[in-house]
Amino acid sequence: MLTTERRQFILEILHRNKKVLSSELSNELKVSEDTVRRDLRELAEAGLLQRVHGGALLTSPATASYADRQKQAPKEKEAIAKSAAKLVRPGQVVILDGGTTTLQVARHLPLDLVATVVTNSPPIALALAEHDRIEVIMLGGRLYKKALVNVGTTAIESLRSIRADICMLGVCSLHPEVGISVANLDEAHVKRAMIAGAAEVIGLATEAKLDTAANYVVAPIQTLTYLVTAPSVDLKRLAAYAALGLTIIQEI
Amino acid sequence: MLTTERRQFILEILHRNKKVLSSELSNELKVSEDTVRRDLRELAEAGLLQRVHGGALLTSPATASYADRQKQAPKEKEAIAKSAAKLVRPGQVVILDGGTTTLQVARHLPLDLVATVVTNSPPIALALAEHDRIEVIMLGGRLYKKALVNVGTTAIESLRSIRADICMLGVCSLHPEVGISVANLDEAHVKRAMIAGAAEVIGLATEAKLDTAANYVVAPIQTLTYLVTAPSVDLKRLAAYAALGLTIIQEI
DNA sequence: TAAAATAACGCATTTTCACGCAAAATTTAA
DNA sequence: TTAAATTTTGCGTGAAAATGCGTTATTTTA
């Protein structure tokens, strides 16, 4: 049985049963579990299924992908969020990009912080609704459901009239040469407008995002003033970024 | 059953029953309470539920006042929402005002409905993210936390360039002579712009809102094309409104 | 205040995963 | 067609995840 054939078969089973187990597939297909896992890994990267411990599940459309990402490396994201939240000074105007990491930042802002937050992410706006003294400015636009952010000219236009102190960007992919890149063109445009509207730009990145690139480039690395990562990330992996002039923040 | 599967199941139960008990889940899922607790802990960290002694509750979507209102007359609101949701025809462009009743409407829209929804309410935008075929246009602006809606010139400006088929308005106060009125000036402005941007206007009102008035008048009663109320409301109470030319809808 | 229920913590066990390496299979090039 | 290069696969190892149990703390209730 050909590799491609086998993978097709896995997808069929998955759509019939809504889930597959690595162990069962290994038995049924007469290949080792390693091979099955490799298949699942490939298929997951292609977005055709959702890997979980023990096998895989159907990728539920739209918002599910967001919920999934919320579960990825939650510890690391929380560590980053805590550090990043401390960078916001009272009275500042902050542009907060959408994303699961920035959502954590919003949650970790002190409840009594006086500030203005500009965001294109409905979940972040809701999280900040509990912060009495934070003024929330929501950027409108078409809701891009995969990332739960508003995109389009409306958002970009609104950003033109905003001069923020800092901008916190959840970077999807970061590469010393390629720069900051994302998987969606609309998102790239909005992020670029956010960067243009702030004096300082803070990038938030989990380790998995380092040294990777996506299809749409937002800006070169030097655009960032700070790069916040988890304390667990090896300094060697960050050397290339530090060399480009960024200040690396791993813990405050 | 896979771990991820189990956690999804817990979330489903939670959304259905508004609460879950560790002991019940342990029985139902045939796993130890430890495991259930671990699941709840993880899900809570992801912000998907709120842990309490004995189990978990739904995450408060936002501020207390909003959550409180969501608890007021839930049956009545649901009845109204079901009727109102049926008024949306495939392919239409719908302006959906913020509010607890309109949020229910969003939730009751068919999952396969093809439509465009324009809203200034982050909770509604999020609820609609699960509807694959609904395009969501979010109106930006300053977040008015008490009602969780975006207000201000940005929202009003955006509405100027929209011609919707219908507009669904959660009315705060309704009075035959005063008209539609609300407690906040900014909200009044936005609602007026919404009305101006739609061919038909549908008002949603629980019984408690009939024959009351608030400080800021949005528009006269005749602005409404339909008034949707719960079937439990006595027709006599609605006579005055019917006399003004509205079509009363109590159940479909 | 005491008893009961619920939670948290540490630990051991089992299962599942990831990674490197070498053999086998497949594709590409000479 | 043969040889070289690439890909795929299976296995061994160690790491990580998931789970249940015993114990101790905390909260709730009577």
Side-chain angles (χ1 to χ4, degrees), chain A:
Chain A
M1 184 179 246
L2 266 49
T3 308
T4 321
E5 216 180 339
R6 191 181 57 234
R7 292 186 180 166
Q8 199 61 43
F9 184 76
I10 292 178
L11 286 178
E12 275 172 36
I13 300 277
L14 180 62
H15 279 93
R16 190 152 55 237
N17 302 349
K18 314 295 180 202
K19 73 162 175 180
V20 290
L21 303 181
S22 312
S23 50
E24 282 185 9
L25 286 175
S26 166
N27 271 318
E28 202 150 343
L29 296 163
K30 310 291 180 206
V31 292
S32 73
E33 292 202 16
D34 272 79
T35 304
V36 171
R37 273 193 275 274
R38 270 186 273 250
D39 286 344
L40 295 182
R41 211 180 304 167
E42 292 287 322
L43 293 168
E45 262 172 49
L48 297 166
L49 52 77
Q50 180 200 339
R51 281 207 75 187
V52 299
H53 196 87
L57 298 173
L58 276 179
T59 39
S60 18
T63 169
S65 65
Y66 188 82
D68 290 345
R69 273 182 294 130
Q70 211 155 20
K71 287 172 207 151
Q72 283 171 14
K75 299 262 161 57
E76 192 183 355
K77 282 177 187 170
E78 198 172 338
I80 295 172
K82 277 186 187 163
S83 299
K86 289 180 191 149
L87 295 175
V88 181
R89 303 260 65 91
Q92 283 190 323
V93 176
V94 183
I95 296 176
L96 208 48
D97 181 30
T100 51
T101 313
T102 44
L103 174 57
Q104 292 294 335
V105 174
R107 292 208 178 115
H108 281 95
L109 290 174
L111 278 171
D112 60 350
L113 177 72
V114 178
T116 301
V117 172
V118 180
T119 183
N120 64 332
S121 156
I124 289 180
L126 284 183
L128 291 174
E130 294 176 22
H131 296 241
D132 285 352
R133 309 180 66 179
I134 293 182
E135 165 124 311
V136 179
I137 307 294
M138 174 112 229
L139 300 167
R142 182 177 60 79
L143 182 69
Y144 174 55
K145 293 175 185 172
K146 238 176 110 180
L148 292 182
V149 289
N150 299 329
V151 296
T153 44
T154 317
I156 293 168
E157 267 309 314
S158 304
L159 279 166
R160 257 200 254 279
S161 56
I162 291 173
R163 291 301 315 163
D165 296 299
I166 56 178
C167 164
M168 288 212 187
L169 227 51
V171 297
C172 299
S173 301
L174 212 62
H175 192 283
E177 283 152 40
V178 179
I180 308 163
S181 53
V182 295
N184 179 277
L185 183 57
D186 288 324
E187 276 193 280
H189 283 138
V190 174
K191 279 177 200 277
R192 212 173 294 140
M194 286 179 162
I195 290 171
E200 287 188 339
V201 182
I202 300 171
L204 315 179
T206 52
E207 183 159 19
K209 290 169 182 171
L210 296 175
D211 304 323
T212 63
N215 294 100
Y216 301 98
V217 178
V218 177
I221 293 287
Q222 292 90 339
T223 312
L224 298 179
T225 318
Y226 300 100
L227 177 63
V228 183
T229 72
S232 54
V233 180
D234 191 339
L235 270 174
K236 282 183 211 148
R237 289 208 63 183
L238 299 166
Y241 300 95
L244 288 168
L246 314 204
T247 305
I248 311 282
I249 297 177
Q250 291 200 292
E251 199 155 30
I252 302 181

Side-chain angles (χ1 to χ4, degrees), chain B residues 22 34 37 51 53-55:
Chain B
S22 311
D34 272 85
R37 273 192 275 273
R51 288 207 68 189
H53 196 87

